[in-house]
Amino acid sequence: DSIVRFLDVLIAHMPTEVAKNWLKFQHFFEFWRDFAAAGEAQIAYLYKKEFVAILIDFYLGNKSPVPELSEKKHSIGNRYVDPEFNPLIQTLARLIERANVPTRSGQSPLTSVARRGLPTYNLSPNDYKCLLSSDFYDKTLKEKYDFQSFGIIVQHLCFENEEFSASVA
């Protein structure tokens, strides 16, 4: 119970304290990436908290498709230094690998996860709204963040989804 309260406080600090100290936030997102890799309880907690939407909301700032997730958006980055968002993209990839994504045939793209017998999770409406935002894909490609993790996200969401595949292309 105290651990959950601690995690909730960490998430609550993301749009304020973490954003204000963006030059130092790499370790914050490395924590969440490693937390997402730690086990089922951790993944279930992150899905319950709509962490996909929270991360993308933070990442996109004022361009977020769900501005209600955080009241005040702080600008991150400047013309001399880019923020280190690779751990954030890696966390998203770990979460999206475990997502149930509707497809034409009903087959899930989770072949390796399904083969290991791991449970999958449903994305919330806010998660979907964020994942469908073209600003997310534009920014990630333009800023050249972790292409391998980004590829996992795109591959998973495009599997047997012709409309989404066309929009990403």
Side-chain angles (χ1 to χ4, degrees):
D1 189 43
S2 61
I3 292 172
V4 171
R5 282 195 310 268
F6 170 74
L7 295 170
D8 290 345
V9 168
L10 282 181
I11 291 172
H13 282 308
M14 197 180 313
T16 55
E17 295 306 313
V18 175
K20 288 179 195 173
N21 298 292
W22 64 269
L23 283 169
K24 303 173 187 172
F25 71 29
Q26 179 177 350
H27 296 297
F28 179 83
F29 290 112
E30 287 173 351
F31 166 82
W32 288 112
R33 179 198 59 209
D34 297 344
F35 181 82
E40 274 327 298
Q42 291 81 350
I43 292 285
Y45 169 82
L46 294 173
Y47 268 95
K48 181 180 173 190
K49 291 294 179 181
E50 294 186 323
F51 205 61
V52 169
I54 288 170
L55 288 177
I56 295 175
D57 172 69
F58 180 85
Y59 179 66
L60 293 179
N62 291 328
K63 292 185 176 184
S64 172
V66 286
E68 63 275 8
L69 285 181
S70 57
E71 295 171 16
K72 188 174 181 186
K73 308 279 189 201
H74 294 275
S75 64
I76 297 172
N78 61 39
R79 58 198 235 188
Y80 303 108
V81 181
D82 290 325
E84 178 52 60
F85 279 120
N86 283 329
L88 183 146
I89 300 298
Q90 293 160 359
T91 304
L92 285 169
R94 286 195 172 145
L95 291 171
I96 300 307
E97 281 183 311
R98 301 294 297 278
N100 287 319
V101 179
T103 62
R104 193 169 13 111
S105 70
Q107 286 284 109
S108 174
L110 300 167
T111 52
S112 64
V113 171
R115 274 185 272 161
R116 293 187 306 217
L118 298 173
T120 58
Y121 299 88
N122 293 322
L123 294 163
S124 74
N126 282 336
D127 293 336
Y128 269 117
K129 193 183 287 187
C130 288
L131 288 168
L132 294 176
S133 169
S134 62
D135 289 325
F136 171 70
Y137 301 94
D138 292 344
K139 179 176 181 164
T140 306
L141 287 171
K142 192 181 297 173
E143 310 271 333
K144 299 178 183 162
Y145 292 117
D146 189 330
F147 283 122
Q148 186 174 10
S149 295
F150 184 64
I152 290 169
I153 295 167
V154 170
Q155 177 187 13
H156 191 80
L157 295 172
C158 288
F159 183 81
E160 289 192 8
N161 187 337
E162 198 171 319
E163 183 180 329
F164 184 73
S165 297
S167 72
V168 170

